[in-house]
Amino acid sequence: MTIDDFKKEKIAAMKAHDADAVSALNSVINKLMSLTIERRAKGEGVTDADAVAVLQKVEKELAEERSANQTAGRSERVAELDRQIEAIGKYLPKQMTADEIKAEILGLADRSVPTVMRHFKANFAGKCDMKLVSEVLKSL
């Protein structure tokens, strides 16, 4: 998705009076705009993979903030952050399960750690958690 797509989604959330989705989308739009500026300086553009990476980063930041608020006992803020994480999750690709990752690894001729990690990074970027890939690989 592009920045314009996220702006349209933000407008729709504003019309629906969904303040949590608006807040989450603002974070995504701001990070995408910063990335676009950095890339333009280098003469490059922003790809869909970059947008997915930004979404994952925002989701991770919100999860960390949620954890801190849960520890502090701020249940209202935790519920608000849950709704923001849910709003971001709609735009992320479906993540691979441990079984799907295992099946993919078993299908590879070379199952060395560097080869497997390169394979997943090249072919499944944004669609799998690399930490989970590492854990599944170690369990084989």
Side-chain angles (χ1 to χ4, degrees):
M1 292 182 78
T2 64
I3 292 175
D4 292 333
D5 295 333
F6 285 113
K7 286 180 179 178
K8 288 176 187 172
E9 292 293 325
K10 178 185 162 192
I11 291 169
M14 289 170 74
K15 287 180 180 178
H17 302 287
D18 188 353
D20 296 321
V22 171
S23 177
L25 289 168
N26 275 335
S27 296
V28 172
I29 291 167
N30 289 337
K31 289 191 186 311
L32 274 174
M33 291 179 94
S34 296
L35 182 63
T36 302
I37 291 167
E38 288 175 23
R39 292 290 173 90
R40 278 190 192 151
K42 295 177 183 176
E44 301 171 358
V46 177
T47 64
D48 284 341
D50 294 329
V52 169
V54 166
L55 284 167
Q56 289 173 330
K57 184 176 181 178
V58 170
E59 183 182 47
K60 183 178 179 184
E61 289 171 355
L62 290 171
E64 289 170 356
E65 186 178 346
R66 181 195 181 284
S67 173
N69 280 293
Q70 191 170 22
T71 304
R74 298 184 189 124
S75 58
E76 287 181 19
R77 181 71 178 141
V78 169
E80 182 181 317
L81 289 168
D82 282 338
R83 291 188 297 270
Q84 288 181 14
I85 291 169
E86 184 181 321
I88 295 293
K90 292 190 295 190
Y91 305 105
L92 286 169
K94 181 182 171 283
Q95 296 291 303
M96 294 176 74
T97 64
D99 292 335
E100 293 170 333
I101 292 170
K102 184 176 181 179
E104 185 68 27
I105 292 171
L106 292 174
L108 296 174
D110 181 9
R111 295 187 190 131
S112 65
V113 174
T115 304
V116 170
M117 298 308 269
R118 271 195 301 267
H119 173 75
F120 276 89
K121 190 165 185 155
N123 298 313
F124 301 103
K127 296 178 184 168
C128 66
D129 180 10
M130 296 306 283
K131 184 176 180 182
L132 181 60
V133 171
S134 177
E135 291 170 3
V136 170
L137 181 59
K138 288 177 184 175
S139 71
L140 294 178

